Amino acid sequence: MARFHPLRVAAVDRLTDDSVTLTFDVPPALREEYRFTPGQHLALRRSVDGTEIRRTYSICSPAPRPDAPGEPRTLRVGVRLVEDGAFSTYAFKELSVGDELEVMTPAGRFTLDPAPGRYAAVVGGSGITPVLSIVTTLLEREPRADFCLIRSDRTAASTMFLEEVADLKDRWPDRFQLVTVLSREEQQAGLDSGRLDEERLARLLPALLPVAEIEGWFLCGPFGLVQGAERALRGLGVDRRLIHEEIFHVDGGVAAEPAPPAATPAHSTVTATLDGRSGTWPVLDGETLLETVLRNRADAPYACKGGVCGTCRAFRVSGEVRMDRNFALEPEETEAGYVLACQSHPTTDTVELDFDR
Ligand code: FES
């Protein structure tokens, strides 16, 4: 069960004009709870004028070895400044070393457990953040693995983790391949410029690497880039189960799926199990199951409330729901019975969810 704890800010480091990393100290008593798998994220929360704000940020540091005691001592996340973003503006302008922030224990399934093989990623902008943790952990721990990173950014100056990624090339020149595409800058020496879209990736990928031999694809960034990369891979015959996706920004107008006609029964109830305790409550007209549960259990897990981060994932024990949209769960998860509570509306009189599974 995800939990918040206050963690002390150990460092705020500027990466680019519009991005920073935040490093948190993890006290010894909490290190077991904050163990993470590379690719996971942290939800941060603060209260502004009585309103709670939550945002998720991916961990960029390599994951501790499973057998390393007393780890992780610190957690580092990447934060890009969003125009008028209530949290990122605060992280940029106000947050300083020594402050405390409420940090949720790590969550997310955009992850890789290091194993021998060939892996690749297509990332855009701040989508590099979880992939940096994935690549570094993999190359450090698994000598029989290699990784090809294709990254797309606007300009070199706006590229997050430029030095860290260059460092990977220096440390593992034979096992790490880097392709950078800048959309707003002419590149030199025959390197690519322009946008990475489906058509371009369909041509680029087979020229860069043996597509059929890649054991895991990691796509992360804005909705359009991730969707285009997935279509390109599917067009090249890549099995859907080898493709892992994490979307950072969803433009509601572009990404919203038409919601099916509302069919919420007049008197539905939801039974939810959280942290081993269950309760049953009526679902008010039009509200999501997460909203129903939150009215009664303030500890229900969530971050984005937009179907993107996956923090509100719950197992549907019984009953039926319809989801407004889903950019977080893989097809295997929905087939196995998982739903996003923040997007779910009941279509049967009773629905039972288990947040602990
Ligand atoms: S809270 Fe982010 S997907 Fe539901």
Side-chain angles (χ1 to χ4, degrees), residues 262-271 279-289 292-293 295-296 318-322 344-352:
T264 308
H267 301 291
S268 343
T269 60
V270 60
T271 301
T280 300
W281 310 287
V283 182
L284 301 186
D285 197 24
E287 73 181 0
T288 64
L289 294 183
T292 312
V293 176
R295 276 195 291 106
N296 300 281
S318 65
E320 298 290 335
V321 304
R322 71 170 168 82
S344 292
H345 303 272
T347 57
T348 49
D349 288 343
T350 59
V351 174
E352 191 177 352

Side-chain angles (χ1 to χ4, degrees), residues 100-129:
E100 277 196 340
L101 260 184
E102 292 274 323
V103 180
M104 193 191 269
T105 45
R109 286 160 305 284
F110 180 74
T111 56
L112 173 66
D113 276 321
R118 312 190 78 159
Y119 301 89
V122 179
V123 306
S126 53
I128 182 63
T129 314

Side-chain angles (χ1 to χ4, degrees), residues 31-32 35 63-73 141:
R31 286 183 190 157
E32 209 44 53
R35 275 193 164 272
R65 289 180 176 277
D67 52 1
E71 297 286 345
R73 288 158 193 261
R141 280 212 222 143

Side-chain angles (χ1 to χ4, degrees), residues 56 290 301-313 325-328 340-343:
T56 51
L290 177 69
Y302 76 91
C304 74
K305 287 190 178 172
V308 176
C309 72
T311 310
C312 64
R313 185 181 92 141
R325 59 187 202 169
N326 166 28
F327 300 111
L340 296 174
C342 77
Q343 299 299 309

Side-chain angles (χ1 to χ4, degrees), residues 184-329:
R184 297 205 192 147
E185 210 168 80
E186 285 301 316
Q187 288 187 316
Q188 297 158 352
L191 290 173
D192 276 315
S193 60
R195 281 173 57 84
L196 263 191
D197 55 17
E198 177 189 351
E199 193 191 323
R200 189 131 183 247
L201 281 165
R203 276 186 284 119
L204 186 65
L205 292 172
L208 279 176
L209 72 179
V211 171
E213 289 175 26
I214 303 301
E215 318 225 1
W217 294 88
F218 293 84
L219 315 179
C220 188
F223 179 74
L225 176 118
V226 170
Q227 203 188 37
E230 188 202 320
R231 281 200 301 256
L233 289 172
R234 302 284 286 136
L236 292 167
V238 174
D239 189 325
R240 176 69 188 80
R241 285 170 299 183
L242 299 179
I243 305 174
H244 310 280
E245 298 178 8
E246 184 148 278
I247 289 165
F248 272 18
H249 307 290
V250 177
D251 175 342
V254 176
E257 295 154 6
T264 308
H267 301 291
S268 343
T269 60
V270 60
T271 301
T273 305
L274 276 156
D275 214 7
R277 285 191 295 126
S278 300
T280 300
W281 310 287
V283 182
L284 301 186
D285 197 24
E287 73 181 0
T288 64
L289 294 183
L290 177 69
E291 287 166 332
T292 312
V293 176
L294 274 175
R295 276 195 291 106
N296 300 281
R297 288 284 299 268
D299 56 339
Y302 76 91
C304 74
K305 287 190 178 172
V308 176
C309 72
T311 310
C312 64
R313 185 181 92 141
F315 183 73
R316 182 173 49 80
V317 179
S318 65
E320 298 290 335
V321 304
R322 71 170 168 82
M323 279 198 278
D324 291 331
R325 59 187 202 169
N326 166 28
F327 300 111
L329 299 179

Side-chain angles (χ1 to χ4, degrees), residues 72-198:
R73 288 158 193 261
T74 58
L75 294 162
R76 191 172 175 228
V77 296
V79 178
R80 176 152 259 165
L81 183 64
V82 176
E83 207 177 326
D84 298 326
F87 208 104
S88 59
T89 308
Y90 163 73
F92 251 71
K93 305 219 165 114
E94 290 176 52
L95 199 61
S96 50
V97 173
D99 290 350
E100 277 196 340
L101 260 184
E102 292 274 323
V103 180
M104 193 191 269
T105 45
R109 286 160 305 284
F110 180 74
T111 56
L112 173 66
D113 276 321
R118 312 190 78 159
Y119 301 89
V122 179
V123 306
S126 53
I128 182 63
T129 314
V131 171
L132 181 62
S133 175
I134 288 174
V135 187
T136 315
T137 310
L138 179 76
L139 295 177
E140 276 181 353
R141 280 212 222 143
E142 181 45 75
R144 291 162 299 165
D146 60 48
F147 205 102
C148 175
L149 170 64
I150 299 150
R151 68 181 306 186
S152 162
D153 283 279
R154 279 170 292 149
T155 62
S158 72
T159 300
M160 291 172 76
F161 302 111
L162 200 60
E163 281 171 29
E164 286 85 345
V165 172
D167 186 45
L168 296 177
K169 267 189 92 172
D170 292 342
R171 286 172 76 188
W172 295 288
D174 301 332
R175 297 169 50 214
F176 179 64
Q177 183 184 5
L178 171 66
V179 178
T180 304
V181 178
L182 298 179
S183 61
R184 297 205 192 147
E185 210 168 80
E186 285 301 316
Q187 288 187 316
Q188 297 158 352
L191 290 173
D192 276 315
S193 60
R195 281 173 57 84
L196 263 191
D197 55 17
E198 177 189 351

